[in-house]
Amino acid sequence: MPSTDASPTAPALSVSLDGVGRSFPASTAGEPDRRVLRDISLEIAPGEIISLLGPSGCGKSTLLRQVSGLDRPDEGVVTIDGSPLVGIDQRCAIGFQEPRLLPWRTLEQNVALGLPHGTPRSAGRERVSQLLDLVQLGDAKHLRPRQVSGGMAQRASLARALSRGPGVLVLDEPFGALDALTRLTMQDLLLEIHAAEPATILLVTHDVDEALYLSDRVVLLGTEPGERAGSGAVIRSIITVPGSRPRDRGDSTLAHLRAELLQGLGVSIHHPAHTF
Amino acid sequence: MARSTSRTVAADSTTEPAATLVQYSSQFGYSAAGTATGQRRRGGSGRRSPWLIALGAVLPLLILGFWQLTASLQWVPAYLLPSPASVWSAAVDLAERGYLWTDVGISVQRVLIGFGVGAAVGLVLGSVVGLSRVASAFFAPTVGALRAVPSLAWVPLLVLYIGINEDSKVTLIAIGAMFPVYTTVAGALRHVDPHLVELGGAYGLGRFQLLRQVQLPAVVPSVVSGLRLALAQSWLFLVAAELIASSMGLGFRLLDSQQNGRIDRMFLVIILLGILGKTTDALIGLLERYLLKRWG
């Protein structure tokens, strides 16, 4: 077992997926199992930010659940820092698309939910207030979730994930439910958090720009052309995003990658360059 | 989510009470649900203005005035409708003889003990059935069938087994109080936002911690509205129990007065039942207000 010490900055950990696959029983009896993922192999270096991109329903969230320990793959193994992952793990924290804050707790108490078990009270309080400052909620810590905006709630949810002291931070469309402007500020905040608490981050997104802006590598999931839909999604391509963060949102090389990714997602881009 | 749960639960339990007295209970069910959601909408911070509180006293005063008018103009003969003054003097008379206090005291005691026991059993049974699929499959059909038995049908059995004494009355009240609590708690626990339950799991909460930190707080509003329903049921069953076999208490006084033609005392008992029921309900309302502020 890894140590459960609550030191403020746990080191980022490597993640390795080796031939991961997941099937679900068919909804009608007699049908073959519905295969969602197959042959997913990926090495993620400590501190890397990886975006999972793919068409709706292709199994991105399912893959995330394998890495967070909420679900177990029926093929292959997930390894974190060299030791296999079985079930919910202290080394991993998950953030959901919805903030999922407990409505009867203040933001501060919600963040404290993430603290590792056995954290001394005073150390825990200090850690929580440090994290609330990091996500710029220091002034709102005594408010209830229903009293704050969606963006604030999502920040509290990020702070809660961080309070677990994770080596790997798994985020399922963390900014998907936010308005466009809030999303941009949250992206910058995530990068600040990453600089301050360098966990390995694996995030699912629908937003190609978000993926390019945030990540070191973008992993495109999808079914292989010619395969029928039930054969399971594989890694279609892995794109290394050039340059280093913070990136220029208007960078022209990114625009090129963006077109490539959108095409990979099956979206036509209606760009003049493609009409000659 | 929580709001819709508590509403469906409360509405659901209105289909539940014994067939004999459906109307009264269902009416109460709606009012309990309305209070709970209404307070949540105000965020627990709104205080009703004194004018609105005073408005609630207008109708009783109008009724009292009309009653007095009816009695003094003799629109209805006095053996059918006593005057307010004669009801008051009946109260003073019973108080002086000491009967009033024994009747009120013993009835309140029966309600409180029966309600306490019934609510406790309902809480435990509801929690077990609400939390475990297996327990639900095992218990729910049987409890549902027992609940469908009109509660007064238990009386002859209770009298046979326990006898005509305090225990049989308290038992009947406990039966009446148990089912609303059981239904609301089991339903609410089953419908705790699955997202929050999954969240608890993802953050490593064990079964007990999950119950303590997520599931129980999430059902507090429903539990309180279940308790409110149960308390109303308790008064209902108290009168049923005392009407059938007892030598003191408000229900006994009611029946006794009918047999002696003391309509003034009958009115007195009915008014007392209304006041006592409303007072205990208001006390639970205060508790509800506090709990919703804390957990809602």
Side-chain angles (χ1 to χ4, degrees):
Chain A
M1 272 305 285
S3 72
T4 50
D5 92 86
S7 65
T9 42
L13 302 175
S14 66
V15 178
S16 155
L17 305 173
D18 186 12
V20 169
R22 181 76 172 101
S23 305
F24 293 98
S27 45
T28 46
E31 299 256 317
D33 285 358
R34 197 166 48 88
R35 202 172 193 194
V36 175
L37 294 170
R38 64 182 170 95
D39 305 326
I40 306 281
S41 295
L42 182 66
E43 296 290 333
I44 305 172
E48 221 181 345
I49 303 184
I50 301 280
S51 290
L52 292 175
L53 208 58
S56 199
C58 76
K60 302 183 294 284
S61 294
T62 307
L63 183 57
L64 221 54
R65 293 173 67 85
Q66 315 304 318
V67 179
S68 63
L70 277 175
D71 192 18
R72 287 186 204 187
D74 26 38
E75 299 162 64
V77 273
V78 177
T79 315
I80 289 182
D81 192 30
S83 64
L85 178 78
V86 276
I88 302 294
D89 197 308
Q90 180 69 64
R91 298 171 293 175
C92 221
I94 187 163
F96 300 95
Q97 181 175 1
E98 332 72 49
R100 299 199 189 182
L101 301 174
L102 302 178
W104 51 86
R105 291 187 172 199
T106 62
L107 295 189
E108 186 179 33
Q109 293 164 333
N110 265 293
V111 172
L113 180 78
L115 290 171
H117 296 305
T119 309
R121 188 172 289 256
S122 62
R125 198 175 303 137
E126 199 176 312
R127 175 76 178 135
V128 167
S129 90
Q130 179 192 350
L131 286 169
L132 282 166
D133 287 340
L134 181 64
V135 297
Q136 297 153 23
L137 285 175
D139 297 334
K141 59 184 174 187
H142 295 306
L143 297 180
R144 299 286 190 89
R146 65 161 173 263
Q147 296 171 299
V148 304
S149 70
M152 290 166 85
Q154 195 57 279
R155 277 185 269 157
S157 148
L158 264 181
R160 179 181 59 195
L162 291 169
S163 72
R164 203 155 152 76
V168 181
L169 185 58
V170 174
L171 302 172
D172 191 356
E173 292 188 46
F175 314 133
L178 302 177
D179 67 86
L181 263 177
T182 312
R183 196 181 310 157
L184 297 186
T185 42
M186 288 291 282
Q187 288 165 0
D188 286 326
L189 179 68
L190 183 67
L191 294 181
E192 278 170 37
I193 289 171
H194 187 250
E197 317 243 334
T200 307
I201 298 181
L202 182 61
L203 83 140
V204 159
T205 176
H206 277 301
D207 182 343
V208 173
D209 293 315
E210 179 170 286
L212 289 171
Y213 185 66
L214 292 178
S215 18
D216 297 299
R217 287 186 293 164
V218 179
V219 174
L220 187 64
L221 289 180
T223 36
E224 279 183 293
E227 290 276 356
R228 53 178 199 85
S231 65
V234 295
I235 294 181
R236 294 283 305 282
S237 62
I238 299 178
I239 289 171
T240 306
V241 185
S244 58
R245 290 181 294 263
R247 296 199 168 90
D248 176 3
R249 288 185 192 271
D251 192 334
S252 63
T253 49
L254 292 189
H256 176 71
L257 282 177
R258 176 171 186 271
E260 192 182 324
L261 281 169
L262 281 172
Q263 257 177 343
L265 288 166
V267 179
S268 89
I269 32 183
H270 306 299
H271 194 273
H274 289 256
T275 56
F276 56 81
Chain B
M1 169 65 205
R3 184 184 298 176
S4 72
T5 309
S6 82
R7 188 175 295 162
T8 44
V9 165
D12 187 59
S13 54
T14 57
T15 58
E16 169 272 321
T20 40
L21 300 145
V22 162
Q23 207 183 357
Y24 172 65
S25 303
S26 68
Q27 202 182 338
F28 193 85
Y30 284 118
S31 88
T35 319
T37 53
Q39 287 195 342
R40 209 161 314 159
R41 207 167 295 131
R42 285 201 301 273
S45 58
R47 217 162 241 295
R48 282 197 299 173
S49 81
W51 288 108
L52 281 177
I53 296 173
L55 192 60
V58 171
L59 189 59
L61 289 175
L62 280 178
I63 292 174
L64 192 65
F66 184 72
W67 179 16
Q68 179 62 54
L69 196 69
T70 311
S72 44
L73 293 180
Q74 304 245 316
W75 287 343
V76 177
Y79 71 90
L80 288 180
L81 185 74
S83 69
S86 69
V87 171
W88 174 250
S89 56
V92 172
D93 175 48
L94 278 179
E96 276 168 357
R97 294 162 189 248
Y99 291 138
L100 189 65
W101 312 121
T102 26
D103 285 343
V104 169
I106 194 71
S107 288
V108 168
Q109 177 188 315
R110 285 165 181 161
V111 161
L112 290 185
I113 297 177
F115 169 72
V117 172
V121 174
L123 262 177
V124 171
L125 200 60
S127 306
V128 170
V129 167
L131 286 173
S132 153
R133 279 174 182 282
V134 178
S136 171
F138 184 74
F139 284 117
T142 312
V143 180
L146 287 177
R147 202 180 62 180
V149 175
S151 318
L152 293 183
W154 297 112
V155 170
L157 260 190
L158 289 177
V159 168
L160 181 67
Y161 287 169
I162 307 179
I164 299 179
N165 53 25
E166 282 306 299
D167 291 352
S168 64
K169 293 179 190 65
V170 168
T171 306
L172 185 68
I173 295 168
I175 290 175
M178 184 192 85
F179 287 118
V181 178
Y182 161 79
T183 320
T184 44
V185 172
L189 278 174
R190 206 170 298 138
H191 294 117
V192 170
D193 186 354
H195 277 164
L196 292 185
V197 175
E198 185 186 56
L199 166 86
Y203 281 85
L205 299 184
R207 215 179 153 83
F208 176 72
Q209 284 299 324
L210 190 67
L211 181 67
R212 201 176 71 77
Q213 298 198 37
V214 179
Q215 287 160 308
L216 284 184
V219 302
V220 163
S222 315
V223 171
V224 182
S225 54
L227 288 178
R228 247 180 134 156
L229 284 169
L231 189 64
Q233 289 273 82
S234 302
W235 282 104
L236 201 77
F237 280 61
L238 167 85
V239 175
E242 289 182 343
L243 277 179
I244 289 160
S246 96
S247 56
M248 52 181 168
L250 290 168
F252 161 76
R253 190 62 54 199
L254 194 60
L255 193 69
D256 188 57
S257 310
Q258 186 211 17
Q259 284 160 352
N260 295 326
R262 291 296 303 264
I263 191 148
D264 49 347
R265 286 185 182 173
M266 290 169 68
F267 266 73
L268 173 69
V269 169
I270 288 170
I271 291 169
L272 279 176
L273 283 170
I275 291 171
L276 286 171
K278 180 62 194 163
T279 307
T280 48
D281 183 55
L283 290 178
I284 291 222
L286 284 179
L287 176 76
E288 181 176 38
R289 216 184 153 88
Y290 166 77
L291 287 174
L292 286 183
K293 212 167 168 177
R294 174 71 186 81
W295 302 102

